[in-house]
Amino acid sequence: MRIHESAENYLEAILMLGQSEKPVRAIDIASELDYTKASVSVAMKNLRTSGHIVVGGDGHITLTEIGRKIAQSMYDRHTLISEWLISLGVSKEIALHDACKVEHVISEESFAAIRRHIEEFAVGTL
């Protein structure tokens, strides 16, 4: 099931915020993404309805299995693409910005080919 880029961004933000081992709240997501609390509230309702997150009675947000899978995929894409661009000489700021766009539109096939190429190149340079 394909979801919208904005939902992928929210899921990735929840994953990243959750790495601090502190509970993730809507206000944390709004701050991280620089979105309004109202926008985050609507998005969290939609993600909860679609089964990508669970919101506890205390307001703490956790990813479901499918939500975590999508978030991890976006995070992996973002990390690999941004690091690759930086290694090619792109500034960190531009690389992070571009990776954020590319991670959402690149096909699985193209991303797998880029990953294979990077891994083969890394092995070849050892």
Side-chain angles (χ1 to χ4, degrees):
M1 177 177 142
R2 182 80 176 127
I3 63 172
H4 295 285
E5 179 178 333
S6 62
E8 291 172 342
N9 282 333
Y10 280 111
L11 295 172
E12 185 179 7
I14 294 166
L15 177 73
M16 291 173 20
L17 288 166
Q19 291 174 348
S20 70
E21 298 187 21
K22 292 192 296 189
V24 178
R25 300 168 301 142
I27 189 72
D28 302 320
I29 299 165
S31 177
E32 175 72 20
L33 297 175
D34 197 26
Y35 292 166
T36 65
K37 290 184 256 184
S39 294
V40 172
S41 178
V42 169
M44 294 306 103
K45 179 182 180 211
N46 291 337
L47 289 171
R48 188 177 62 244
T49 300
S50 64
H52 291 94
I53 64 167
V54 174
V55 181
D58 53 8
H60 297 167
I61 300 165
T62 55
L63 296 166
T64 62
E65 184 177 337
I66 188 66
R68 179 168 300 285
K69 182 178 178 184
I70 293 167
Q72 191 64 55
S73 174
M74 291 300 106
Y75 182 76
D76 292 346
R77 287 172 175 226
H78 184 90
T79 302
L80 185 110
I81 293 167
S82 61
E83 289 175 357
W84 180 49
L85 291 172
I86 291 167
S87 77
L88 295 173
V90 176
S91 72
K92 183 177 181 179
E93 181 181 346
I94 298 294
L96 292 172
H97 178 267
D98 288 350
C100 192
K101 298 297 181 192
V102 172
E103 72 190 52
H104 300 287
V105 296
I106 193 168
S107 69
E108 280 295 323
E109 181 180 353
S110 293
F111 181 71
I114 290 170
R115 181 186 297 263
R116 275 192 313 276
H117 174 76
I118 291 169
E119 290 170 353
E120 289 170 7
F121 180 77
V123 168
T125 60
L126 295 179

